[in-house]
Amino acid sequence: NPTSSFLSINSEEIQIESIDIMTLTGQQIFSKIYQSNKITLDVSTFARGLYLINVYTEKGSSLHRLVIR
């Protein structure tokens, strides 16, 4: 999952409602509301490092690691 420019999130059956990206210390650096099954985020301005991304859907939420190179 390492990236340096774009992050794609695809959900075939469940609609993505919002996304939050946080540092490991809990500082929120990105938050946006969506109503889509496919999302592409430009993360080229993010500093290198490890982040947490929380994806909220109509059926709940899921937490993932995001590595920026």
Side-chain angles (χ1 to χ4, degrees):
N1 119 357
T3 186
S4 59
S5 54
F6 291 96
L7 171 67
S8 295
I9 301 171
N10 298 312
S11 175
E12 293 180 16
E13 298 177 11
I14 303 171
Q15 189 169 20
I16 297 167
E17 294 180 342
S18 66
I19 292 176
D20 293 336
I21 300 177
M22 298 157 289
T23 65
L24 293 181
T25 61
Q27 178 185 5
Q28 187 178 58
I29 59 168
F30 178 87
S31 182
K32 190 166 181 181
I33 295 172
Y34 295 94
Q35 294 298 317
S36 179
N37 291 44
K38 296 181 181 183
I39 296 169
T40 301
L41 301 174
D42 181 359
V43 295
S44 62
T45 59
F46 290 15
R48 291 180 179 185
L50 183 61
Y51 297 88
L52 298 174
I53 180 167
N54 207 342
V55 179
Y56 297 91
T57 69
E58 52 199 13
K59 294 195 176 190
S61 65
S62 60
L63 187 65
H64 307 273
R65 287 184 330 148
L66 172 62
V67 179
I68 304 290
R69 291 190 204 181

